[in-house]
Amino acid sequence: MFAEKPTLKGERVTLCPVGPEHAAGLHELVSDPEVRRLTGSHAISGKEPLLHWYATRADQPDRLDLAIMADGDYVGEIVLNKLDTDNLSCNLRIALIGARAFGRGYGTEAMELLLGHAFDTTPLHRISLGVFTFNDRARHVYKKVGFVEEGIERDALLWDGEWHDAVLMSILRPEWQARSRSLA
């Protein structure tokens, strides 16, 4: 379903297939302590494994990994993964590079571009995600683009000795289509 890796252009960001040329940006992203906390990422990968990871994403027909570019600079990634073809669903994850990318609308636009692509060019019916309860900025953006809270995954993350819940959210094709029509 994701064999074709598109480039999607918006006003502020361009989403393009990840490749080795984005590995330094990914290393910066996963090395940022605040980004690691927001995403619940405990481990930091070295540059070589990240280079290999981004070099192999184009060969994965069951996922879509796109770099978020703003003014020619890597500012994050957005991914559709965990594809379930039987139920026409997948997971979405997004991470911005840190303070220099937060609060500029990059995440909102990237999500709108990717959701539009997914619901307009694939048979997907449902896209879901999880977000930690302390990540108010992300929760706000997810709701803004149409995601609906479905439930709580209790004690999903142990960070610095404290347990944190995750909110499960999703958006369905008819919800996206209704939202898109209302904005047109």
Side-chain angles (χ1 to χ4, degrees):
M1 187 173 303
F2 300 131
E4 183 182 323
K5 312 297 185 189
T7 296
L8 308 171
K9 294 182 187 272
E11 291 180 24
R12 284 172 287 222
V13 301
T14 297
L15 308 182
C16 62
V18 297
E21 67 275 18
H22 303 114
L26 179 60
H27 186 263
E28 181 183 346
L29 186 149
V30 300
S31 298
D32 183 295
E34 179 65 1
V35 172
R36 287 186 27 246
R37 183 182 75 86
L38 293 172
T39 60
S41 302
H42 292 283
I44 300 175
S45 295
K47 289 183 182 176
E48 285 304 313
L50 295 175
L51 183 64
H52 175 74
W53 176 257
Y54 266 8
T56 60
R57 298 304 86 200
D59 301 329
Q60 310 299 315
D62 61 342
R63 57 183 293 137
L64 179 58
D65 296 74
L66 299 174
I68 304 170
M69 306 296 291
D71 297 321
D73 292 328
Y74 177 98
V75 296
E77 70 171 10
I78 188 164
V79 177
L80 293 176
N81 62 0
K82 300 181 183 176
L83 179 62
D84 179 345
T85 54
D86 293 328
N87 294 303
L88 299 176
S89 67
C90 69
N91 178 72
L92 182 145
R93 67 178 174 78
I94 183 171
L96 295 178
I97 205 158
R100 69 180 170 93
F102 293 160
R104 291 178 169 71
Y106 299 154
T108 300
E109 186 172 284
M111 292 192 66
E112 289 173 338
L113 286 169
L114 188 61
L115 291 171
H117 170 76
F119 287 128
D120 292 344
T121 66
T122 77
L124 284 173
H125 176 73
R126 172 186 162 79
I127 298 175
S128 60
L129 57 82
V131 59
F132 298 112
T133 53
F134 57 75
N135 194 344
D136 294 327
R137 181 177 46 240
R139 289 172 68 188
H140 170 77
V141 170
Y142 300 149
K143 288 177 184 176
K144 185 164 114 176
V145 300
F147 278 82
V148 175
E149 292 186 358
E150 297 183 322
I152 300 291
E153 190 176 9
R154 299 177 309 142
D155 289 354
L157 174 69
L158 179 61
W159 195 266
D160 286 340
E162 289 186 45
W163 287 104
H164 301 278
D165 295 343
V167 179
L168 304 176
M169 303 179 80
S170 73
I171 186 168
L172 306 178
R173 174 186 291 277
E175 294 166 343
W176 176 259
Q177 291 170 332
R179 180 183 179 279
S180 296
R181 281 193 298 272
S182 73
L183 294 175

